């Protein structure tokens, strides 16, 4: 996890490998992830997560976590958003924003989601950036830094 470098301010986004994304785009994507979080079905963990993934042709797909009494049938917000996009024929992504109710740390994809995204370039382009929002701050990391120790 210490390989993941979070920028402390939105201004630093340009320095972290997503030059093509404006601050406005990132803020909108984060907002969409926060809206998606409101749809979370998480009666067991009581932990709401929302994700919004941006395709290279500027479509946004959102997802929330959907839990189940059989816990491992539940799906994370990230996988939900990715699966929705893939189901609609979109496989090339620029960025994904993830929101949770944690207010003291950035949410980070679980091991299962990292495995899911490790599938390769046919599913997730390795140039995708990850954005997180907490305490009024936006953090980001690259695919490579997120996956460094997986
Ligand atoms: O990055 C994450 C981490 C957790 N969860 C979900 C899974 C489960 O429903 C709940 C508690 O782990 O949060 C996500 O959707 N995304
Ligand atoms: Zn997950």
């Amino acid at each position: 996890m210490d390989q993941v470098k979070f920028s402390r301010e939105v201004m630093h986004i340009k320095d972290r490998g997503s030059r093509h994304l404006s601050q406005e785009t990132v803020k909108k994507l984060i907002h969409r992830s926060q809206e998606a979080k409101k749809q979370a079905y998480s009666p067991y963990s009581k932990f709401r997560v929302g994700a919004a993934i941006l395709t290279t042709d500027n479509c946004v797909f959102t997802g929330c976590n959907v839990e189940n009494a059989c816990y491992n049938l539940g799906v994370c917000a990230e996988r939900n958003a990715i699966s929705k996009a893939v189901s609609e024929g979109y496989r090339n992504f620029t960025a994904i924003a993830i929101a949770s109710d944690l207010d003291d740390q950035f949410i980070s994809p679980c091991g299962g989601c990292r495995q899911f995204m490790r599938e390769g370039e046919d599913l997730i382009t390795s140039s995708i950036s990850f954005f997180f929002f907490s305490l009024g701050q936006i953090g980001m990391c690259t695919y490579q830094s997120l996956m460094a120790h997986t």
Side-chain angles (χ1 to χ4, degrees):
M1 194 62 183
D2 56 355
Q3 290 292 314
V4 179
K5 305 248 190 316
F6 294 106
S7 58
R8 296 303 294 169
E9 294 173 14
V10 187
M11 291 303 291
H12 293 161
I13 286 170
K14 283 186 185 155
D15 302 327
R16 297 285 187 188
S18 44
R19 284 164 218 87
H20 45 303
L21 286 181
S22 69
Q23 290 180 31
E24 205 48 46
T25 300
V26 173
K27 282 183 188 169
K28 277 188 193 159
L29 199 62
I30 284 173
H31 180 71
R32 292 290 300 272
S33 71
Q34 290 168 324
E35 287 299 303
K37 185 183 73 176
K38 294 177 184 168
Q39 307 298 336
Y41 176 73
S42 50
Y44 305 104
S45 72
K46 311 255 191 282
F47 188 66
R48 304 182 304 165
V49 186
I53 193 162
L54 179 67
T55 71
T56 48
D57 41 5
N58 283 322
C59 294
V60 174
F61 290 88
T62 61
C64 61
N65 55 333
V66 182
E67 297 184 349
N68 192 268
C70 175
Y71 203 81
N72 60 358
L73 288 182
V75 64
C76 290
E78 298 93 319
R79 262 179 288 162
N80 203 355
I82 293 166
S83 299
K84 280 170 69 178
V86 171
S87 305
E88 298 295 328
Y90 294 86
R91 292 191 183 183
N92 292 300
F93 308 110
T94 311
I96 182 167
I98 308 161
S100 79
D101 289 322
L102 293 175
D103 57 8
D104 57 348
Q105 56 182 288
F106 294 122
I107 176 101
S108 182
C110 76
C113 285
R114 291 178 204 218
Q115 176 66 47
F116 191 83
M117 292 187 287
R118 260 224 174 279
E119 183 64 15
E121 294 282 328
D122 281 350
L123 187 66
I124 288 276
T125 47
S126 55
S127 57
I128 189 170
S129 299
F130 294 77
F131 292 96
F132 315 94
F133 183 79
S134 178
L135 274 181
Q137 304 267 12
I138 295 174
M140 74 112 9
C141 68
T142 61
Y143 177 93
Q144 284 80 10
S145 59
L146 187 77
M147 297 295 196
H149 299 291
T150 59

